[in-house]
Amino acid sequence: MENSNQPLLQPLKIGDITLSNRVIMAPMTRSRAVNDKNAPTDYLHAEYYTQRATAGLIITEGSQVSKRAVGYIHTAGIHNDAQVEGWKKVTNKVHQAGGKIFIQLWHVGRISHPDFHGGDLPWAPSAINPNAKVFTPVGQKDTLTPKSMTKEDIEITKLEFVRAAKNAMEAGFDGVEIHSSNGYLFHQFFSDFSNKRDDEYGGSIENRARFFFEVLDAIKEVMPENKIGARFNPSLHGIFGMEITEKTLPTFDYIIEKLDAEYNLAYIHLSEPFTDVTNVPHAETEIAKRYRPKYNGVLMINSAFDQEKGNKIIDEGYADCVAFGKPFISNPDLVGRFAENVELTDWNQDTFYTQGKEGYIDYPAKTRNLIPS
């Protein structure tokens, strides 16, 4: 029986657009841009996202803002003409189906490998190896010690984000999400574990957050501020080269409180811990509960939510909407299944990062909330 009174199924305004529901499709790397331009395609990407256009909002896979920003094979970027044209096909079809879509702007920093950069080292705030694994064009390899970014490198990267934001608007997106999470470039600057700089981009909390705010300020000069979201993962620990220190939470407290006081973003997108941090010193086990009192704008939460937990956290007032990842992979009509209480289809993890339609656009819908192809 349909239950449209669920908190997840209520409309929500973000910026100047109204979402039909609060079931958000989370950004997920899927590695389907198999062409020399790393451009999204009509027959795969446009179909994939359009099938899921009943989501209140789609946030695309992370899309690199430049060639030097890449760290994974076959990811669709937003820095060349072919990519912009490819994304136009995606946004057109999603909008025709009644959906809303943001693109996630991405720079991986040190979570990369020289194989992606013509032999050059990846860029990072400091020359510290994250000791992670990277899947390169010739297979999985260990990360290396990155190049510590010069101030000129930082200025170049700011301009790349601005250009990517302009490209996103040209491609027809409803907005952008700055990927400031999961151990990638901005997160590397935030953390005193990965940022050992002694200039104005290192040391104090304000300095470690400076790069993010300078990029945000530059982007909002070229697009409306209320079309910008930002993603954070304050309790990331033990993966993506990140470790929590006593300075971690005060840093994120500062960032989110500053965003609340001085900015008017579409939303902030927070992740609950990816791993068990119960016994990790200085970690926060309940991210939404910590940051809801600190942030009065739209707060999106994600990580391992199901229908029941999603409804509960909205009903309790700790979040305004919930981003679902893996459930959207295998349930293109996830909103319809929530509305009609239809059992979810399990996903096949073996096809998460393969290069064809299998496990990408061939999961069937089972509810009447269908999106025409």
Side-chain angles (χ1 to χ4, degrees):
M1 179 180 294
E2 183 168 335
N3 178 7
S4 59
N5 294 322
Q6 300 173 57
L8 281 168
L9 302 183
Q10 303 311 304
L12 175 68
K13 190 169 185 181
I14 64 166
D16 59 359
I17 64 175
T18 299
L19 310 183
S20 60
N21 60 73
R22 299 170 186 235
V23 181
I24 312 301
M25 180 175 169
M28 292 176 285
T29 298
R30 301 302 311 276
S31 297
R32 258 61 178 199
V34 189
N35 52 74
D36 61 358
K37 297 294 186 181
N38 290 125
T41 63
D42 192 17
Y43 60 92
L44 281 179
H45 295 80
E47 179 68 16
Y48 170 71
Y49 286 115
T50 305
Q51 287 177 355
R52 291 152 180 83
T54 47
L57 175 68
I58 292 170
I59 308 170
T60 72
E61 61 213 84
S63 296
Q64 59 267 15
V65 299
S66 67
K67 283 186 176 181
R68 67 173 58 83
V70 72
Y72 295 79
I73 58 170
H74 307 314
T75 53
I78 186 64
H79 59 84
N80 65 40
D81 291 343
Q83 292 164 356
V84 172
E85 292 305 308
W87 282 121
K88 280 182 182 177
K89 296 174 182 177
V90 174
T91 61
N92 285 340
K93 288 194 71 173
V94 168
H95 289 149
Q96 287 168 12
K100 306 292 185 186
I101 183 167
F102 276 38
I103 187 170
Q104 189 185 65
L105 305 182
W106 192 27
H107 195 307
V108 303
R110 64 184 188 168
I111 307 295
S112 188
H113 193 276
D115 286 359
F116 288 109
H117 309 294
D120 292 338
L121 291 170
W123 290 4
S126 299
I128 300 172
N129 190 337
N131 295 311
K133 297 284 187 181
V134 179
F135 199 86
T136 77
V138 294
Q140 188 163 282
K141 292 189 176 183
D142 293 327
T143 55
L144 302 177
T145 299
K147 175 196 174 187
S148 178
M149 294 170 73
T150 65
K151 290 183 183 179
E152 181 182 5
D153 296 338
I154 289 173
E155 291 301 317
I156 288 170
T157 304
K158 288 182 203 173
L159 293 175
E160 290 172 346
F161 271 92
V162 170
R163 182 184 62 184
K166 289 179 178 178
N167 287 345
M169 294 298 96
E170 183 183 344
F173 284 99
D174 296 296
V176 304
E177 177 179 285
I178 302 172
H179 197 352
S180 329
S181 187
N182 296 1
Y184 298 125
L185 185 62
F186 289 111
H187 200 159
Q188 292 159 28
F189 271 88
F190 296 155
S191 173
D192 65 309
F193 185 77
S194 51
N195 181 349
K196 303 296 185 182
R197 301 178 71 94
D198 57 7
D199 62 6
E200 65 265 41
Y201 294 99
S204 69
I205 287 174
E206 293 82 2
N207 283 356
R208 286 183 279 109
R210 186 183 307 277
F211 176 50
F212 167 79
F213 282 106
E214 288 183 350
V215 170
L216 175 57
D217 288 341
I219 290 176
K220 72 186 185 72
E221 291 297 315
V222 301
M223 64 181 293
E225 186 176 343
N226 66 3
K227 292 183 179 293
I228 304 169
R231 188 179 188 190
F232 305 99
N233 193 337
S235 278
L236 187 72
H237 182 78
I239 52 176
F240 297 112
M242 283 291 133
E243 300 286 340
I244 292 172
T245 74
E246 63 181 355
K247 296 181 181 178
T248 299
L249 285 173
T251 301
F252 284 102
D253 290 351
Y254 166 80
I255 292 167
I256 291 169
E257 288 170 356
K258 184 177 175 72
L259 288 173
D260 182 65
E262 301 178 21
Y263 293 82
N264 180 33
L265 298 188
Y267 61 82
I268 61 168
H269 182 180
L270 305 180
S271 296
E272 297 291 352
F274 283 2
T275 55
D276 184 2
V277 296
T278 306
N279 298 315
V280 176
H282 314 297
E284 174 59 71
T285 59
E286 296 184 297
I287 294 298
K289 290 183 180 180
R290 181 185 185 92
Y291 289 107
R292 173 77 287 175
K294 299 178 184 296
Y295 192 75
N296 294 298
V298 173
L299 192 157
M300 182 187 301
I301 193 68
N302 84 346
S303 190
F305 280 86
D306 58 18
Q307 181 180 0
E308 180 181 0
K309 291 177 181 177
N311 278 316
K312 184 172 185 286
I313 201 162
I314 295 173
D315 188 53
E316 291 177 341
Y318 293 117
D320 298 295
C321 52
V322 179
F324 296 86
K326 293 173 184 175
F328 257 118
I329 289 178
S330 51
N331 301 276
D333 56 338
L334 185 64
V335 176
R337 297 197 193 203
F338 285 173
E340 300 177 22
N341 293 313
V342 174
E343 184 177 1
L344 300 190
T345 298
D346 292 335
W347 54 81
N348 178 7
Q349 193 154 338
D350 291 341
T351 59
F352 279 3
Y353 311 112
T354 50
Q355 279 75 69
K357 67 179 183 179
E358 182 185 359
Y360 191 60
I361 59 171
D362 60 352
Y363 285 106
K366 292 186 176 180
T367 68
R368 59 186 178 82
N369 291 52
L370 301 179
I371 297 298
S373 298

